[in-house]
Amino acid sequence: MSNFVSGRHFLQTPGPSNLPDRVLRAMDRNVINHRGPEFGALGRDIVAKLRGLFQTGAATIGIFPASGTGAWEAALANTLVPGDRILISRTGQFSHLWEQMALRFGLDVVSLETDWRRGADPLAIGEILQEDRERRIKAVCAVHSETSTSCMTDIAAVRQAINRADHPALLMVDAISSLGCAEYQHDGWAVDVTIAGSQKGLMVPPGLSFTAISDKALAAARAGGSRRSYWDWEPLVTSNRTGFFPYTPAISLLYALNEALDMLAEEGLPAVFARHDRYAQATRLAAAAWGLELQCADPAAYAPGVTAIRTPQGHSADNLRNVILERFNMSLGNGLGRIEDRVFRIGHMGDLGVLSLTGALTGVEMGLRAAGVPHRAGGVQAAMELLTSANA
Ligand SMILES: *Cc1c(COP(=O)(O)O)cnc(C)c1O
C-alpha cells in the first residue's frame, strides 16, 4: 500500500503556524555579507518594524537565534542573580516551564496557583506585592496568552496592580503566542521585558526569539544580573543603532521576518487582531454547537490565536488527534502538562483564511465522528453563520 497522501497538510498547531507563500519566497535567495551595508539597512529596518509591533517608541530590541525559551533565559540572566525572588502566576504549562527555568537559575520563586482555566489574577498579584514590604520581589512574570489553556492574562491590569502597590519589581511578559495576534502595548502597559518568538503569530519559521527591553530593565541589567556572554543585552544597544549583530545572524530567517512584518503592516494591526478575534469566536461557536467544553472558563480571557477544547470524560483527546491526523491529514495541538490527553487545541493564528479555518473545523467535526467522541453535529454550520455575517 502506498503512503502517498494527496492534498496539503493542514497545520493547525498553535505554533509553528503556517508560513505564507510570500514568507517562503523571501527566504529563497542567497545569504549576504552580514558585515556589509545591505545587511545593516536590513537590520535597522527590522528593528524599526519590530518596535511598531511591540508598540514601543524606544525600547531596546533583542533578536536572538533561539526559540522563544532562549529569550526567557536571557531575561532572567540579564536582570537577576541566584536568590532573587520573583513572582509567577502558574496559569498553564508555559508559566510552569518559566518557573522551572527560574528554579534552575537558583531564583526564589513565589508562585500563585490557578486552575489552568483563567488568566493570572491581578488582585492576588497586587496583594502579594503590597505585603512585600521589604521589596524583595525583583520581577513579576506573566504569560500574556497561555497557549496551553487558551486563556489570556490582562497585562494592563497586572501593571496597575504593581503601580497600586507602588512596587519597583520589573514586569516581564511572555507574549510568544500573542504578539501579532492580540493587542499588545509594551510602552502603554509599561512592560519592562517582553518576550516573543517567530513561529506563532509572526508567520516565520521557528528559530528566532525577540525581546523588547525598557530602559529600567536595561539599567537593572547594567547594574547586575548573572554572568552571561552570548545572551548579554548590552551589545543590543549598538546593534539596534547600526543594524549589525555581534555574531553571524540567522540571515535567511531575517529575510522571512522582514517580509512577515511587511505583511502585518499591509493588513494593519487592528485588522489583524480583529481577524484573529473573529476566527476565535467562530471556533468557540463550533465547540459550543458540538456540546464540548472550552478549557478557558473565563469569557473575558478567551485567547484570539488558539482554542483549547476539552473532550468528554473518558474520551482521549490524543486518540481524537491521531484519528484526525491519519484520516484527514491535519495536525492539532495536544494537551500539555496536567491537561495532557484531556484537551485538543486548534491553532488559528498567523496566516489563515476563512476557508482554512472552516476546513480545519470540518476536519475536527469529521474526526469527532470517526473517533466516536460524543458530540452534536452542526459546529461547522455555526462557524459558517458567523463568518458569513458582514460585520461579525
Ligand atoms: C510556544 C510558547 C513558548 C515556548 O516557545 P519556544 O519557541 O518553543 O521556545 C513559551 N510560551 C508560550 C506562551 C508559548 O506559546
Side-chain angles (χ1 to χ4, degrees):
M1 218 177 74
S2 152
N3 287 326
F4 181 83
V5 181
S6 173
R8 211 181 157 110
H9 179 71
F10 262 56
L11 180 67
Q12 299 303 139
T13 49
S17 65
N18 289 289
L19 300 177
D21 288 346
R22 275 176 61 177
V23 169
L24 284 168
R25 299 288 106 77
M27 288 186 288
D28 186 11
R29 54 177 284 217
N30 200 3
V31 288
I32 54 175
N33 173 12
H34 67 289
R35 307 275 183 221
E38 191 190 344
F39 186 87
L42 174 70
R44 290 192 300 273
D45 206 15
I46 284 176
V47 167
K49 289 171 189 170
L50 280 174
R51 286 206 175 108
L53 192 61
F54 280 112
Q55 297 199 42
T56 178
T60 301
I61 300 293
I63 304 171
F64 283 110
S67 80
T69 307
W72 274 0
E73 176 145 349
L76 298 182
N78 276 274
T79 57
L80 301 164
V81 293
D84 275 354
R85 185 169 288 174
I86 65 169
L87 175 60
I88 291 184
S89 292
R90 229 187 274 155
T91 49
Q93 181 66 8
F94 289 107
S95 42
H96 168 71
L97 291 176
W98 205 354
E99 177 183 28
Q100 294 301 306
M101 179 190 279
L103 292 172
R104 282 193 289 269
F105 267 95
L107 300 178
D108 172 8
V109 182
V110 178
S111 50
L112 275 167
E113 288 298 336
T114 76
D115 61 0
W116 286 32
R117 301 196 71 173
R118 62 206 72 243
D121 178 359
L123 293 179
I125 292 172
E127 273 169 28
I128 291 187
L129 295 177
Q130 301 269 8
E131 285 160 19
D132 179 33
R133 302 208 199 287
E134 290 164 29
R135 303 300 190 229
R136 290 198 52 199
I137 296 171
K138 299 290 180 238
V140 174
C141 302
V143 176
H144 188 212
S145 163
E146 241 306 346
T147 323
S148 59
T149 64
S150 62
C151 297
M152 303 289 286
T153 283
D154 183 345
I155 301 301
V158 173
R159 163 47 71 194
Q160 280 163 17
I162 298 172
N163 287 354
R164 267 198 303 273
D166 195 20
H167 199 290
L170 296 170
L171 174 57
M172 300 193 185
V173 178
D174 170 353
I176 293 177
S177 76
S178 57
L179 199 72
C181 303
E183 174 70 11
Y184 190 84
Q185 299 181 22
H186 179 83
D187 285 1
W189 301 338
V191 179
D192 292 299
V193 184
T194 303
I195 281 150
S198 53
Q199 77 275 22
K200 310 226 172 160
L202 267 65
M203 312 179 288
V204 172
L208 291 179
S209 66
F210 311 108
T211 317
I213 305 157
S214 73
D215 286 346
K216 180 177 164 184
L218 197 61
R222 283 175 173 158
S226 297
R227 288 187 194 192
R228 69 270 183 190
S229 171
Y230 188 72
W231 298 105
D232 190 18
W233 283 346
E234 190 58 38
L236 301 175
V237 177
T238 315
S239 204
N240 278 194
R241 200 173 57 244
T242 62
F244 296 108
F245 288 68
Y247 50 81
T248 317
I251 299 167
S252 303
L253 290 178
L254 293 173
Y255 292 156
L257 174 64
N258 196 34
E259 187 70 22
L261 292 170
D262 282 348
M263 290 177 68
L264 290 169
E266 281 169 39
E267 187 175 354
L269 288 184
V272 170
F273 303 153
R275 169 166 60 80
H276 279 86
D277 283 342
R278 188 168 149 98
Y279 289 2
Q281 196 189 346
T283 304
R284 292 193 299 269
L285 285 173
W290 292 324
L292 300 181
E293 208 182 325
L294 301 173
Q295 176 64 21
C296 185
D298 176 7
Y302 291 148
V306 55
T307 302
I309 300 174
R310 295 168 69 90
T311 46
Q313 202 68 42
H315 291 272
S316 159
D318 287 344
N319 181 57
L320 170 67
R321 287 187 315 104
N322 288 338
V323 167
I324 289 171
L325 178 61
E326 278 167 23
R327 298 278 304 272
F328 309 121
N329 194 22
M330 175 164 72
S331 291
L332 297 172
N334 59 316
L336 296 171
R338 80 159 82 131
I339 48 177
E340 184 183 350
D341 203 28
R342 297 292 302 117
V343 308
F344 62 97
R345 295 176 298 145
I346 304 174
H348 33 76
M349 59 175 66
D351 185 47
L352 205 69
V354 168
L355 295 186
S356 299
L357 178 67
T358 50
L361 296 175
T362 302
V364 173
E365 190 160 328
M366 292 195 296
L368 290 166
R369 189 176 307 186
V373 176
H375 70 289
R376 292 189 301 268
V380 176
Q381 184 69 38
M384 286 197 301
E385 273 158 33
L386 175 85
L387 295 166
T388 313
S389 67
N391 50 11

